[in-house]
Amino acid sequence: MIHLSISESHLLCLQWSENNGNPFLLSVSNKVLPKPLSVLEQSENEIISVINAGLHLVREDIPFEGEQVYVTIPDMFTNSVLVSSDEDMTENDAWDFALWTIQQRWSTDSKFENFGRSFSENSNQLFAISISTTFTEPIKMAILELGGEPIWMGTESSVFFGLNPDKGCTVFYVNKNGYNYYQYSQSSFQNGIAKFSKGNWNFQALKGSDNLQDVFKGQLLVAGSLSEKRKAHFKGHRIKQIVSLTGINYESNILPKDVKEENLYVFSALATGNVKGVAINFFDQPGIQPYNFVKKELIKPLETVKIKSSADKRKTSKKL
């Protein structure tokens, strides 16, 4: 299996295998893109050309033939909204309203595909996310041309949902002034900015609620290690710190020197979680995608049966 991580300036590719649920990292390739994607001013042809050039460099280190490929992109490459519907609105009405909201906030002439998740069983909310067609079909076709099988593509933050699909999670990214957070569950997708000051949490919700109980829902994850001072922010809450490559077997000299620990948080969650059917998949058809979590089936080792030799089976003849 392959994880292809696309950033503004790099393609990070990690190949791993899995033995009865235990991931083993096989190889890593980190390539600088010919041009940063941010300076291409949404030129579709240039972006595709740059990514394809990077993929061919990666292929020199890691072959794609016969491999299942998972792709992640930064959340900032997408636009998304969480809308609430009235009682008399159908799901289609809510979907149209969400797409209208995206268009009003981020008006553009570029081509986009829209994906979503309805939470009608648990609330009246609907989530919609929009991504440029530059990052969907062309990347899917490039993977196929390299002999790979495109399985899943989504945002970096959504990968963490796969670590606890049943109860959901909130992942905190540490920054200089506080935290960016993303909350995923079967009842809502939310995100925002969090700060801890004078013994209290303050939330600026970009989507969803700014209530502490709503943000601190499900499993609490922190991407990276916390200082002792930062640990005090979460006093009274059980948190899990995502340390790169925890739970993954690998050889000590496999990582290139230019790959930093923070570059591996998403891969660590991907290789140890269950993202397919849980997080929104940009390789699937656009539109509303249902939650469809199927647990990985572990292959039980075959029972060892001792077979008696023919000599053991042979009866001893009586002496005459």
Side-chain angles (χ1 to χ4, degrees), residues 82 125 170 172 181-183 188 190-195 200-218 220 237:
L82 182 70
Q125 295 181 321
T170 302
F172 292 85
Y181 69 87
Y182 295 86
Q183 194 274 329
S188 186
Q190 307 180 79
N191 76 286
I193 300 168
K195 293 183 179 181
N200 294 304
W201 281 99
N202 297 297
F203 300 103
Q204 179 185 345
L206 302 179
K207 286 187 295 292
S209 171
D210 58 3
N211 182 279
L212 176 66
Q213 292 182 344
D214 292 331
V215 175
F216 280 43
K217 184 185 294 183
L220 302 184
H237 300 280

mmCIF file of all heavy atoms in Angstrom, residues 82 125 170 172 181-183 188 190-195 200-218 220 237:
data_model
loop_
_atom_site.group_PDB
_atom_site.id
_atom_site.type_symbol
_atom_site.label_atom_id
_atom_site.label_comp_id
_atom_site.label_asym_id
_atom_site.label_seq_id
_atom_site.Cartn_x
_atom_site.Cartn_y
_atom_site.Cartn_z
ATOM 1 N N LEU A 82 -20.705 23.910 7.011
ATOM 2 C CA LEU A 82 -21.652 23.085 7.760
ATOM 3 C C LEU A 82 -22.933 23.901 7.885
ATOM 4 O O LEU A 82 -22.927 24.975 8.480
ATOM 5 C CB LEU A 82 -21.092 22.744 9.144
ATOM 6 C CG LEU A 82 -21.954 21.836 10.025
ATOM 7 C CD1 LEU A 82 -21.985 20.416 9.473
ATOM 8 C CD2 LEU A 82 -21.425 21.834 11.466
ATOM 9 N N GLN A 125 -28.056 18.896 10.415
ATOM 10 C CA GLN A 125 -26.899 19.500 9.781
ATOM 11 C C GLN A 125 -26.421 18.702 8.570
ATOM 12 O O GLN A 125 -26.636 17.489 8.473
ATOM 13 C CB GLN A 125 -25.752 19.640 10.786
ATOM 14 C CG GLN A 125 -26.047 20.601 11.920
ATOM 15 C CD GLN A 125 -24.874 20.718 12.874
ATOM 16 O OE1 GLN A 125 -24.192 19.747 13.184
ATOM 17 N NE2 GLN A 125 -24.628 21.927 13.365
ATOM 18 N N THR A 170 -11.599 14.437 18.095
ATOM 19 C CA THR A 170 -11.194 15.816 17.842
ATOM 20 C C THR A 170 -9.677 15.831 17.833
ATOM 21 O O THR A 170 -9.047 15.408 18.804
ATOM 22 C CB THR A 170 -11.710 16.774 18.928
ATOM 23 O OG1 THR A 170 -13.139 16.700 18.991
ATOM 24 C CG2 THR A 170 -11.303 18.204 18.612
ATOM 25 N N PHE A 172 -6.211 18.042 17.603
ATOM 26 C CA PHE A 172 -5.670 19.372 17.829
ATOM 27 C C PHE A 172 -4.278 19.476 17.186
ATOM 28 O O PHE A 172 -3.408 18.633 17.440
ATOM 29 C CB PHE A 172 -5.547 19.667 19.330
ATOM 30 C CG PHE A 172 -6.858 19.809 20.038
ATOM 31 C CD1 PHE A 172 -7.531 18.685 20.506
ATOM 32 C CD2 PHE A 172 -7.426 21.055 20.247
ATOM 33 C CE1 PHE A 172 -8.741 18.804 21.171
ATOM 34 C CE2 PHE A 172 -8.635 21.186 20.900
ATOM 35 C CZ PHE A 172 -9.296 20.055 21.364
ATOM 36 N N TYR A 181 -8.257 23.002 15.509
ATOM 37 C CA TYR A 181 -8.877 21.711 15.814
ATOM 38 C C TYR A 181 -9.865 21.306 14.719
ATOM 39 O O TYR A 181 -10.444 22.139 14.023
ATOM 40 C CB TYR A 181 -9.596 21.748 17.171
ATOM 41 C CG TYR A 181 -10.834 22.607 17.214
ATOM 42 C CD1 TYR A 181 -12.085 22.100 16.841
ATOM 43 C CD2 TYR A 181 -10.771 23.947 17.630
ATOM 44 C CE1 TYR A 181 -13.219 22.894 16.876
ATOM 45 C CE2 TYR A 181 -11.901 24.740 17.667
ATOM 46 C CZ TYR A 181 -13.119 24.208 17.294
ATOM 47 O OH TYR A 181 -14.248 25.001 17.310
ATOM 48 N N TYR A 182 -10.016 19.984 14.581
ATOM 49 C CA TYR A 182 -10.976 19.397 13.650
ATOM 50 C C TYR A 182 -11.705 18.295 14.401
ATOM 51 O O TYR A 182 -11.065 17.407 14.978
ATOM 52 C CB TYR A 182 -10.282 18.808 12.418
ATOM 53 C CG TYR A 182 -9.591 19.836 11.556
ATOM 54 C CD1 TYR A 182 -8.289 20.244 11.844
ATOM 55 C CD2 TYR A 182 -10.231 20.399 10.458
ATOM 56 C CE1 TYR A 182 -7.652 21.195 11.065
ATOM 57 C CE2 TYR A 182 -9.604 21.347 9.663
ATOM 58 C CZ TYR A 182 -8.309 21.745 9.974
ATOM 59 O OH TYR A 182 -7.681 22.677 9.198
ATOM 60 N N GLN A 183 -13.023 18.366 14.406
ATOM 61 C CA GLN A 183 -13.829 17.389 15.119
ATOM 62 C C GLN A 183 -14.657 16.584 14.113
ATOM 63 O O GLN A 183 -15.350 17.141 13.268
ATOM 64 C CB GLN A 183 -14.742 18.078 16.132
ATOM 65 C CG GLN A 183 -15.376 17.168 17.162
ATOM 66 C CD GLN A 183 -16.663 16.531 16.677
ATOM 67 O OE1 GLN A 183 -17.400 17.102 15.878
ATOM 68 N NE2 GLN A 183 -16.928 15.325 17.146
ATOM 69 N N SER A 188 -21.548 15.077 13.268
ATOM 70 C CA SER A 188 -21.119 16.407 12.824
ATOM 71 C C SER A 188 -19.651 16.413 12.441
ATOM 72 O O SER A 188 -18.858 15.598 12.930
ATOM 73 C CB SER A 188 -21.351 17.438 13.937
ATOM 74 O OG SER A 188 -21.062 18.737 13.470
ATOM 75 N N GLN A 190 -16.752 19.456 12.455
ATOM 76 C CA GLN A 190 -16.551 20.825 12.895
ATOM 77 C C GLN A 190 -15.064 21.165 12.879
ATOM 78 O O GLN A 190 -14.217 20.284 12.922
ATOM 79 C CB GLN A 190 -17.074 21.018 14.326
ATOM 80 C CG GLN A 190 -18.504 20.564 14.539
ATOM 81 C CD GLN A 190 -18.974 20.775 15.958
ATOM 82 O OE1 GLN A 190 -19.327 21.878 16.338
ATOM 83 N NE2 GLN A 190 -18.960 19.730 16.763
ATOM 84 N N ASN A 191 -14.761 22.437 12.847
ATOM 85 C CA ASN A 191 -13.362 22.856 13.010
ATOM 86 C C ASN A 191 -13.311 24.311 13.447
ATOM 87 O O ASN A 191 -14.286 25.063 13.322
ATOM 88 C CB ASN A 191 -12.556 22.645 11.727
ATOM 89 C CG ASN A 191 -12.842 23.679 10.660
ATOM 90 O OD1 ASN A 191 -13.891 23.652 10.028
ATOM 91 N ND2 ASN A 191 -11.899 24.580 10.457
ATOM 92 N N GLY A 192 -12.152 24.702 13.987
ATOM 93 C CA GLY A 192 -11.996 26.064 14.445
ATOM 94 C C GLY A 192 -10.638 26.304 15.061
ATOM 95 O O GLY A 192 -9.692 25.530 14.873
ATOM 96 N N ILE A 193 -10.556 27.388 15.807
ATOM 97 C CA ILE A 193 -9.317 27.807 16.476
ATOM 98 C C ILE A 193 -9.568 27.797 17.974
ATOM 99 O O ILE A 193 -10.616 28.257 18.440
ATOM 100 C CB ILE A 193 -8.900 29.213 16.007
ATOM 101 C CG1 ILE A 193 -8.660 29.223 14.491
ATOM 102 C CG2 ILE A 193 -7.665 29.694 16.747
ATOM 103 C CD1 ILE A 193 -8.526 30.615 13.905
ATOM 104 N N ALA A 194 -8.620 27.251 18.728
ATOM 105 C CA ALA A 194 -8.777 27.155 20.181
ATOM 106 C C ALA A 194 -7.589 27.798 20.880
ATOM 107 O O ALA A 194 -6.447 27.675 20.436
ATOM 108 C CB ALA A 194 -8.916 25.695 20.604
ATOM 109 N N LYS A 195 -7.881 28.475 21.986
ATOM 110 C CA LYS A 195 -6.838 29.045 22.838
ATOM 111 C C LYS A 195 -7.168 28.731 24.296
ATOM 112 O O LYS A 195 -8.347 28.652 24.675
ATOM 113 C CB LYS A 195 -6.734 30.562 22.640
ATOM 114 C CG LYS A 195 -6.230 30.981 21.274
ATOM 115 C CD LYS A 195 -6.084 32.495 21.185
ATOM 116 C CE LYS A 195 -5.552 32.923 19.818
ATOM 117 N NZ LYS A 195 -5.385 34.405 19.723
ATOM 118 N N ASN A 200 -9.067 28.829 31.176
ATOM 119 C CA ASN A 200 -10.282 28.554 30.415
ATOM 120 C C ASN A 200 -9.981 28.381 28.928
ATOM 121 O O ASN A 200 -9.049 28.989 28.386
ATOM 122 C CB ASN A 200 -11.300 29.689 30.585
ATOM 123 C CG ASN A 200 -11.813 29.794 32.004
ATOM 124 O OD1 ASN A 200 -12.333 28.833 32.559
ATOM 125 N ND2 ASN A 200 -11.653 30.972 32.596
ATOM 126 N N TRP A 201 -10.814 27.548 28.289
ATOM 127 C CA TRP A 201 -10.736 27.378 26.845
ATOM 128 C C TRP A 201 -11.594 28.430 26.155
ATOM 129 O O TRP A 201 -12.697 28.734 26.599
ATOM 130 C CB TRP A 201 -11.228 25.995 26.433
ATOM 131 C CG TRP A 201 -10.234 24.897 26.648
ATOM 132 C CD1 TRP A 201 -10.180 24.022 27.689
ATOM 133 C CD2 TRP A 201 -9.155 24.561 25.778
ATOM 134 N NE1 TRP A 201 -9.123 23.156 27.534
ATOM 135 C CE2 TRP A 201 -8.474 23.458 26.354
ATOM 136 C CE3 TRP A 201 -8.679 25.064 24.564
ATOM 137 C CZ2 TRP A 201 -7.359 22.872 25.773
ATOM 138 C CZ3 TRP A 201 -7.572 24.481 23.982
ATOM 139 C CH2 TRP A 201 -6.924 23.396 24.580
ATOM 140 N N ASN A 202 -11.079 28.965 25.053
ATOM 141 C CA ASN A 202 -11.831 29.880 24.202
ATOM 142 C C ASN A 202 -11.803 29.338 22.775
ATOM 143 O O ASN A 202 -10.725 29.040 22.245
ATOM 144 C CB ASN A 202 -11.208 31.283 24.230
ATOM 145 C CG ASN A 202 -11.251 31.894 25.622
ATOM 146 O OD1 ASN A 202 -12.317 32.120 26.164
ATOM 147 N ND2 ASN A 202 -10.074 32.152 26.203
ATOM 148 N N PHE A 203 -12.984 29.215 22.186
ATOM 149 C CA PHE A 203 -13.082 28.627 20.856
ATOM 150 C C PHE A 203 -13.642 29.636 19.857
ATOM 151 O O PHE A 203 -14.600 30.350 20.154
ATOM 152 C CB PHE A 203 -13.988 27.396 20.875
ATOM 153 C CG PHE A 203 -13.514 26.306 21.800
ATOM 154 C CD1 PHE A 203 -14.125 26.109 23.026
ATOM 155 C CD2 PHE A 203 -12.459 25.491 21.441
ATOM 156 C CE1 PHE A 203 -13.697 25.118 23.883
ATOM 157 C CE2 PHE A 203 -12.013 24.488 22.288
ATOM 158 C CZ PHE A 203 -12.632 24.301 23.517
ATOM 159 N N GLN A 204 -13.011 29.662 18.703
ATOM 160 C CA GLN A 204 -13.539 30.417 17.576
ATOM 161 C C GLN A 204 -13.935 29.395 16.515
ATOM 162 O O GLN A 204 -13.095 28.905 15.768
ATOM 163 C CB GLN A 204 -12.502 31.395 17.022
ATOM 164 C CG GLN A 204 -13.004 32.195 15.825
ATOM 165 C CD GLN A 204 -11.918 33.069 15.218
ATOM 166 O OE1 GLN A 204 -10.878 33.311 15.822
ATOM 167 N NE2 GLN A 204 -12.155 33.541 13.999
ATOM 168 N N ALA A 205 -15.208 29.052 16.481
ATOM 169 C CA ALA A 205 -15.671 28.002 15.582
ATOM 170 C C ALA A 205 -15.740 28.532 14.149
ATOM 171 O O ALA A 205 -16.404 29.541 13.891
ATOM 172 C CB ALA A 205 -17.033 27.487 16.028
ATOM 173 N N LEU A 206 -15.060 27.864 13.241
ATOM 174 C CA LEU A 206 -15.170 28.185 11.821
ATOM 175 C C LEU A 206 -16.325 27.419 11.196
ATOM 176 O O LEU A 206 -16.945 27.871 10.243
ATOM 177 C CB LEU A 206 -13.858 27.859 11.108
ATOM 178 C CG LEU A 206 -12.618 28.580 11.652
ATOM 179 C CD1 LEU A 206 -11.366 28.163 10.889
ATOM 180 C CD2 LEU A 206 -12.802 30.095 11.595
ATOM 181 N N LYS A 207 -16.584 26.247 11.734
ATOM 182 C CA LYS A 207 -17.772 25.453 11.378
ATOM 183 C C LYS A 207 -18.241 24.746 12.634
ATOM 184 O O LYS A 207 -17.456 24.144 13.356
ATOM 185 C CB LYS A 207 -17.448 24.406 10.306
ATOM 186 C CG LYS A 207 -17.259 24.962 8.913
ATOM 187 C CD LYS A 207 -17.121 23.867 7.878
ATOM 188 C CE LYS A 207 -15.860 23.061 8.093
ATOM 189 N NZ LYS A 207 -14.645 23.833 7.825
ATOM 190 N N GLY A 208 -19.530 24.836 12.911
ATOM 191 C CA GLY A 208 -20.079 24.117 14.038
ATOM 192 C C GLY A 208 -20.150 24.934 15.320
ATOM 193 O O GLY A 208 -20.187 26.165 15.305
ATOM 194 N N SER A 209 -20.119 24.218 16.445
ATOM 195 C CA SER A 209 -20.350 24.816 17.752
ATOM 196 C C SER A 209 -19.051 25.292 18.394
ATOM 197 O O SER A 209 -17.982 24.770 18.120
ATOM 198 C CB SER A 209 -21.018 23.783 18.671
ATOM 199 O OG SER A 209 -21.079 24.232 19.997
ATOM 200 N N ASP A 210 -19.170 26.311 19.261
ATOM 201 C CA ASP A 210 -18.017 26.758 20.045
ATOM 202 C C ASP A 210 -18.177 26.355 21.510
ATOM 203 O O ASP A 210 -17.512 26.880 22.398
ATOM 204 C CB ASP A 210 -17.826 28.275 19.936
ATOM 205 C CG ASP A 210 -19.054 29.058 20.396
ATOM 206 O OD1 ASP A 210 -20.037 28.423 20.859
ATOM 207 O OD2 ASP A 210 -19.036 30.292 20.292
ATOM 208 N N ASN A 211 -19.043 25.366 21.744
ATOM 209 C CA ASN A 211 -19.270 24.844 23.090
ATOM 210 C C ASN A 211 -18.211 23.801 23.438
ATOM 211 O O ASN A 211 -17.886 22.943 22.613
ATOM 212 C CB ASN A 211 -20.673 24.245 23.175
ATOM 213 C CG ASN A 211 -21.009 23.727 24.565
ATOM 214 O OD1 ASN A 211 -20.604 22.625 24.927
ATOM 215 N ND2 ASN A 211 -21.731 24.522 25.329
ATOM 216 N N LEU A 212 -17.675 23.865 24.641
ATOM 217 C CA LEU A 212 -16.608 22.955 25.061
ATOM 218 C C LEU A 212 -17.015 21.498 24.911
ATOM 219 O O LEU A 212 -16.243 20.675 24.410
ATOM 220 C CB LEU A 212 -16.215 23.243 26.517
ATOM 221 C CG LEU A 212 -15.170 22.307 27.139
ATOM 222 C CD1 LEU A 212 -13.826 22.469 26.454
ATOM 223 C CD2 LEU A 212 -15.030 22.578 28.645
ATOM 224 N N GLN A 213 -18.220 21.156 25.324
ATOM 225 C CA GLN A 213 -18.660 19.770 25.250
ATOM 226 C C GLN A 213 -18.775 19.279 23.818
ATOM 227 O O GLN A 213 -18.545 18.097 23.539
ATOM 228 C CB GLN A 213 -20.003 19.608 25.978
ATOM 229 C CG GLN A 213 -19.910 19.789 27.489
ATOM 230 C CD GLN A 213 -21.245 19.567 28.168
ATOM 231 O OE1 GLN A 213 -22.296 19.560 27.527
ATOM 232 N NE2 GLN A 213 -21.215 19.378 29.491
ATOM 233 N N ASP A 214 -19.138 20.158 22.897
ATOM 234 C CA ASP A 214 -19.255 19.775 21.492
ATOM 235 C C ASP A 214 -17.881 19.605 20.838
ATOM 236 O O ASP A 214 -17.703 18.743 19.976
ATOM 237 C CB ASP A 214 -20.065 20.815 20.718
ATOM 238 C CG ASP A 214 -21.523 20.827 21.135
ATOM 239 O OD1 ASP A 214 -22.021 19.765 21.550
ATOM 240 O OD2 ASP A 214 -22.147 21.901 21.052
ATOM 241 N N VAL A 215 -16.934 20.444 21.246
ATOM 242 C CA VAL A 215 -15.592 20.354 20.676
ATOM 243 C C VAL A 215 -14.840 19.153 21.248
ATOM 244 O O VAL A 215 -14.194 18.397 20.528
ATOM 245 C CB VAL A 215 -14.797 21.651 20.937
ATOM 246 C CG1 VAL A 215 -13.357 21.503 20.454
ATOM 247 C CG2 VAL A 215 -15.466 22.829 20.246
ATOM 248 N N PHE A 216 -14.946 18.963 22.560
ATOM 249 C CA PHE A 216 -14.260 17.857 23.227
ATOM 250 C C PHE A 216 -15.137 16.602 23.186
ATOM 251 O O PHE A 216 -15.482 16.021 24.205
ATOM 252 C CB PHE A 216 -13.936 18.227 24.673
ATOM 253 C CG PHE A 216 -12.716 19.080 24.820
ATOM 254 C CD1 PHE A 216 -12.474 20.137 23.961
ATOM 255 C CD2 PHE A 216 -11.788 18.837 25.818
ATOM 256 C CE1 PHE A 216 -11.350 20.937 24.091
ATOM 257 C CE2 PHE A 216 -10.657 19.625 25.961
ATOM 258 C CZ PHE A 216 -10.436 20.686 25.089
ATOM 259 N N LYS A 217 -15.477 16.186 21.970
ATOM 260 C CA LYS A 217 -16.365 15.052 21.785
ATOM 261 C C LYS A 217 -15.576 13.879 21.212
ATOM 262 O O LYS A 217 -14.756 14.044 20.318
ATOM 263 C CB LYS A 217 -17.505 15.429 20.834
ATOM 264 C CG LYS A 217 -18.556 14.338 20.638
ATOM 265 C CD LYS A 217 -19.574 14.759 19.602
ATOM 266 C CE LYS A 217 -20.404 15.933 20.066
ATOM 267 N NZ LYS A 217 -21.454 16.293 19.075
ATOM 268 N N GLY A 218 -15.833 12.698 21.731
ATOM 269 C CA GLY A 218 -15.118 11.524 21.238
ATOM 270 C C GLY A 218 -13.693 11.488 21.760
ATOM 271 O O GLY A 218 -13.355 12.080 22.789
ATOM 272 N N LEU A 220 -9.904 12.450 22.116
ATOM 273 C CA LEU A 220 -9.128 13.672 21.949
ATOM 274 C C LEU A 220 -7.711 13.316 21.518
ATOM 275 O O LEU A 220 -7.007 12.570 22.212
ATOM 276 C CB LEU A 220 -9.096 14.471 23.259
ATOM 277 C CG LEU A 220 -10.447 14.884 23.845
ATOM 278 C CD1 LEU A 220 -10.241 15.755 25.081
ATOM 279 C CD2 LEU A 220 -11.290 15.617 22.806
ATOM 280 N N HIS A 237 -8.963 15.818 31.113
ATOM 281 C CA HIS A 237 -9.384 15.179 29.870
ATOM 282 C C HIS A 237 -8.353 14.126 29.472
ATOM 283 O O HIS A 237 -7.149 14.340 29.607
ATOM 284 C CB HIS A 237 -9.524 16.202 28.739
ATOM 285 C CG HIS A 237 -10.522 17.285 29.012
ATOM 286 N ND1 HIS A 237 -11.879 17.111 28.862
ATOM 287 C CD2 HIS A 237 -10.339 18.559 29.462
ATOM 288 C CE1 HIS A 237 -12.501 18.235 29.169
ATOM 289 N NE2 HIS A 237 -11.591 19.129 29.548
#
